[in-house]
Amino acid sequence: MSTLGQLKLVTAVKPQQMPEIVKRRFKLSNKLWEQIQLAKSTFLNQPFELKKVKTVKNAETGQSETISVAKRVRPWWFTAENGSICFSIKYGAKVIELAKGKPSIQVESDLDLISTLELVKQAIEAGELDSQIEQISGALRSNFKK
């Protein structure tokens, strides 16, 4: 048997463009990863600093330079009146409503927060919140139209 005969050959072709919902899902998944890392650094005392690349113009030489600066990541969680931790999932500046009239998830401890954030990230990657993402992104797009 030849070497190529041992491989599973298919007729799949690389897509030219990803569907919009997949891009949005990926964007939200990346933001949830940032929240997970922020929660780990906050509650487990692990260092976390996210960097972003910024291009600035040098005042003396007039040349453009690329520098790395710290990115500000705001936590999506807060402490409720009863002492439990609640968090909301945000797409842009809008909060995603997970069920009718219920935009937040309540957890009992900081370790539960990390595991619940990871669970929500898996749900988003599986496409379970696609309708909510589509609804929010449509509302955000309509704000830019005149």
Side-chain angles (χ1 to χ4, degrees):
M1 182 179 248
S2 69
T3 307
L4 287 178
Q6 298 174 2
L7 303 175
K8 180 180 178 182
L9 303 176
V10 295
T11 59
V13 228
K14 181 180 177 183
Q16 295 295 327
Q17 192 173 357
M18 282 195 318
E20 288 297 317
I21 191 64
V22 175
K23 290 179 186 177
R24 291 183 184 114
R25 214 184 286 156
F26 184 67
K27 175 183 173 182
L28 187 55
S29 177
N30 284 339
K31 293 296 180 183
L32 270 168
W33 177 84
E34 290 176 3
Q35 290 297 312
I36 292 168
Q37 298 308 313
L38 182 63
K40 285 180 180 177
S41 69
T42 302
F43 299 127
L44 303 178
N45 295 325
Q46 296 176 350
F48 173 68
E49 186 175 281
L50 198 59
K51 297 282 187 176
K52 66 179 178 179
V53 178
K54 185 176 180 181
T55 303
V56 294
K57 195 172 214 178
N58 191 334
E60 297 171 0
T61 63
Q63 297 289 327
S64 294
E65 299 176 341
T66 304
I67 60 171
S68 181
V69 294
K71 181 179 177 182
R72 182 178 176 184
V73 181
R74 294 181 184 193
W76 290 354
W77 64 86
F78 56 93
T79 305
E81 298 91 22
N82 61 3
S84 63
I85 299 172
C86 296
F87 72 93
S88 301
I89 302 168
K90 297 183 180 182
Y91 186 86
K94 303 273 185 181
V95 174
I96 294 178
E97 196 171 83
L98 302 170
K100 186 74 174 165
K102 297 182 180 181
S104 298
I105 299 171
Q106 179 179 345
V107 294
E108 297 303 319
S109 69
D110 47 9
L111 293 176
D112 290 340
L113 173 69
I114 296 169
S115 62
T116 306
L117 282 169
E118 290 171 347
L119 186 66
V120 170
K121 184 176 184 291
Q122 289 174 359
I124 288 170
E125 290 171 351
E128 294 180 27
L129 295 176
D130 284 352
S131 62
Q132 288 96 329
I133 294 171
E134 198 63 39
Q135 183 181 14
I136 290 285
S137 66
L140 286 173
R141 278 192 309 256
S142 67
N143 291 338
F144 289 105
K145 293 181 182 176
K146 291 186 178 182

